[in-house]
Amino acid sequence: MDPIISSALDIYADESTTKNEYGDMLTISSPDENVKGILDNLFYDILNIDFNLWSWTRNMCKYGDCYLHLEIEPEYGIHNVKPISTYEMTRIEDMDPTNPAYVIFKQEGSAKAQYENYEIAHFRLLGDSNYIPYGKSMIESGRRVWKQLQLMEDAMLIHRVMRAPEKRLFYIDIGNIPPNEVDSFMTKVINKMKKVPFVDEQTGDYNLKFNMQNMTEDFFLPVRGGDSGTRIENLGSMTYDGTDDIEYLKNKMMAALKVPKAFLGYDEQITGKATLAAEDVRFARTIDRIQRIL
């Protein structure tokens, strides 16, 4: 839901699925034209990677894993593919001591709860041994900083809304009015300032309508003697100086995402290069790693 992290995931997927000069996302090389034709049909017609690979890449970067159920018929091979939610799948290894490569997948809440290894295509970002047999999300390292940034932004908004209105001090000269009549005089002045006469054009009714521009939290102070003279002063609102903290946390999150700030709209100094991978060599290596895994 976060705009920065969502944009970063979009950029990972965009950069990882760029096309070559011939308009192909995947290059299929084989000395046998028959094999090449079959694979071309599989990837471009059945799996439709031109359309689907982007979302599979984004899912893999977001969760660290992406599961696809391959619907297979013995005489035709793969004829359809369906993505499965990462939350539903469990990968089970080391079940057969004689065959270490034997893997099965279990899906929660499904009619067919168990799948063989060849029925599931499991994309995973293997980078941290603590997560094996699953992958580690590209945005995992930004999780804590994102929470801190969210809290700081919420605190800023609450402060802005609650503390933003300016209050005014009205010093009302009460002259030589007797002390026991000061309260009623002040009430009359306050009501006069807080309400404006309003005449309804259609009915002609006369109404003392509440004036939205009055500051209900203003202060009215009666003065006389040396301080005599009616005047109005502004009480400035409290200023918020936590924007530096927000900037600091935002920079930390950018570091976790590994996407140059220029491509997220936070830095205008970007040259006219075609792709972001050409803009930043560290980011190019990150994209290269995602592409190799994919």
Side-chain angles (χ1 to χ4, degrees), residues 20 55 86 236 288 290:
N20 65 7
S55 58
T86 314
D288 185 49
I290 294 171

Side-chain angles (χ1 to χ4, degrees), residues 3-8 11 254 257 259-267:
I4 296 176
I5 292 176
S6 179
S7 297
I11 289 167
M254 300 280 190
L257 295 175
V259 179
K261 290 174 82 172
F263 241 60
L264 289 169
Y266 285 97
D267 187 2

Side-chain angles (χ1 to χ4, degrees), residues 110-148:
S110 169
K112 183 183 178 184
Q114 191 165 308
Y115 298 98
E116 292 296 325
N117 193 15
Y118 62 85
E119 292 181 286
I120 297 290
H122 181 197
F123 301 86
R124 50 187 180 156
L125 290 168
L126 291 175
D128 192 329
S129 57
N130 293 322
Y131 291 82
I132 288 174
Y134 304 103
K136 181 185 177 185
S137 166
M138 290 294 295
I139 54 178
E140 180 68 36
S141 54
R143 188 191 288 265
R144 181 167 172 265
V145 182
W146 167 78
K147 191 67 186 169
Q148 291 172 332

Side-chain angles (χ1 to χ4, degrees), residues 49 89 92 99 141 181 192 204 288:
I49 61 165
M89 292 299 287
I92 301 167
N99 181 13
S141 54
E181 293 177 19
K192 198 170 184 180
D288 185 49

Side-chain angles (χ1 to χ4, degrees), residues 193-210:
M193 287 180 154
K194 281 167 73 170
K195 293 187 177 181
V196 288
F198 173 76
V199 179
D200 193 320
E201 292 177 2
Q202 293 178 338
T203 61
D205 290 341
Y206 182 80
N207 179 23
L208 278 173
K209 188 182 179 185
F210 183 71

Side-chain angles (χ1 to χ4, degrees), residues 280-294:
D280 190 309
V281 68
R282 290 165 303 174
F283 184 72
R285 289 186 189 127
T286 304
I287 293 300
D288 185 49
R289 181 163 57 89
I290 294 171
Q291 284 179 325
R292 280 203 309 272
I293 290 165
L294 195 70

Side-chain angles (χ1 to χ4, degrees), residues 168-186:
R168 295 193 184 107
L169 282 172
F170 288 80
Y171 294 93
I172 309 296
D173 185 11
I174 55 170
N176 55 0
I177 295 172
N180 59 337
E181 293 177 19
V182 169
D183 283 350
S184 59
F185 174 73
M186 290 300 292

